[in-house]
Amino acid sequence: DNEPPRVTLVARPGRSSRDELPGEPTPYSPYGVVLGGGDPGEIPAVAEGRAGVQDEGSQLVAVALAAATVDGPDRRWLDLCAGPGGKAALLAALADQRGAGLVAAERQEHRARLVQRALRDAPGTIGIVTSDGTAAPFTAATFDRVLVDAPCTGLGALRRRPEARWRRRADDLLSLVLLQRRLLSAALDLTRPGGVVLYATCSPVLSETRGVVASVLETRSDVRLEDARALLPDVPDCEGPVPGTIQLWPHRHGTDAMFLALLRRTV
């Protein structure tokens, strides 16, 4: 966490390819490259919004959700906490390749504007909504895939935000965990039976990962936890704190410390 992260780019499929981005291919994401140096904004694909700057761990969240199987139709995808828009942009590109579309929701207006910028002219985008994810204005049980990249302590990205060591307090956890539980439960309500929800946090703190997943599973009989590791078979040594979940680490994978759990709505 004391080593500065390298700049990683993502090619948004259908809009750009990894071959047109300068740098070395990322080891796990099929869409990323590690930039050797220079200003990313001067790269044409980035300047035009066909590619972007995105940590490989963040890319893998979108890759994992897209790789999950769903029972039945696969047309409506939702990013419930979309700001600032990096995962949404990659998900929209992946959805478009399958004839699906993405709805992006974000509560904070300034972050919603960042989502709009990230998704400008992006095929596969159904719409961008400024809305509280815990009470989103969508019909229940209508989405096939939902991403909950929940607000968290962000302690998995200390390489990028070292000030969080002093800014974050243990007291922050209670309000964040309660919000994370509400967001995950709301996402499951919006998912149709046979569809999937990917819960992700940029935090390895157990109360934000294992605790949230366990709490939701205990209170719902219409959900089961599935093996997220099968979605990223090329990523080694990534067993999370709950069997079947994924925990990425800076020192093992060169990514931010992203946590991923895959839940399926059963009824």
Side-chain angles (χ1 to χ4, degrees):
D1 286 333
N2 290 329
E3 297 180 4
R6 298 176 297 176
V7 175
T8 306
L9 306 180
V10 60
R12 292 163 182 161
R15 307 187 68 195
S16 63
S17 68
R18 185 155 71 169
D19 292 340
E20 68 179 288
L21 300 178
E24 294 294 323
T26 47
Y28 311 122
S29 169
Y31 308 111
V33 301
V34 178
L35 189 63
D39 181 1
E42 295 181 354
I43 299 169
V46 175
E48 296 162 7
R50 298 182 293 109
V53 176
Q54 186 176 22
D55 177 72
E56 187 179 13
S58 177
Q59 296 179 39
L60 291 175
V61 170
V63 169
L65 177 58
T69 59
V70 297
D71 302 327
D74 189 12
R75 295 188 293 267
R76 289 169 56 85
W77 299 13
L78 172 64
D79 186 345
L80 193 60
C81 309
K87 297 179 186 71
L90 182 51
L91 282 173
L94 293 169
D96 183 63
Q97 290 193 318
R98 302 191 198 171
L102 176 79
V103 177
E106 170 56 46
R107 182 177 67 87
Q108 298 180 353
E109 290 188 6
H110 72 282
R111 288 172 65 85
R113 288 193 292 271
L114 294 176
V115 177
Q116 291 175 339
R117 184 182 306 170
L119 292 176
R120 69 184 187 274
D121 302 322
T125 304
I126 295 176
I128 302 167
V129 179
T130 303
S131 171
D132 182 349
T134 64
F138 307 123
T139 304
T142 55
F143 288 95
D144 306 305
R145 300 174 191 267
V146 179
L147 172 62
V148 182
D149 179 24
C152 65
T153 57
L155 296 178
L158 287 175
R159 305 179 302 166
R160 304 177 192 281
R161 293 185 288 273
E163 74 282 357
R165 289 176 172 87
W166 299 276
R167 184 169 55 87
R168 284 298 184 190
R169 300 175 180 272
D171 293 344
D172 296 338
L173 274 175
L174 178 59
S175 60
L176 283 169
V177 166
L178 293 175
L179 175 60
Q180 291 157 0
R181 292 176 183 175
R182 292 173 61 202
L183 286 167
L184 180 51
S185 187
L188 290 164
D189 289 339
L190 294 171
T191 305
R192 63 165 180 81
V196 294
V197 173
L198 188 74
Y199 172 72
T201 65
C202 188
S203 169
V205 177
L206 292 178
S207 57
E208 298 184 271
T209 59
R210 181 178 65 191
V212 169
V213 171
S215 174
V216 171
L217 290 174
E218 287 172 1
T219 58
R220 299 190 66 126
S221 60
D222 59 345
V223 176
R224 71 169 181 261
L225 182 68
E226 298 204 340
D227 188 359
R229 295 171 305 169
L231 308 176
L232 301 175
D234 296 329
V235 181
D237 198 18
C238 64
E239 177 71 38
V242 178
T245 63
I246 290 173
Q247 181 66 67
L248 302 175
W249 296 101
H251 63 289
R252 293 181 186 171
H253 308 105
T255 68
D256 291 343
M258 300 296 303
F259 169 82
L260 293 76
L262 181 70
L263 298 94
R264 185 176 300 276
R265 176 81 181 270
T266 56
V267 292

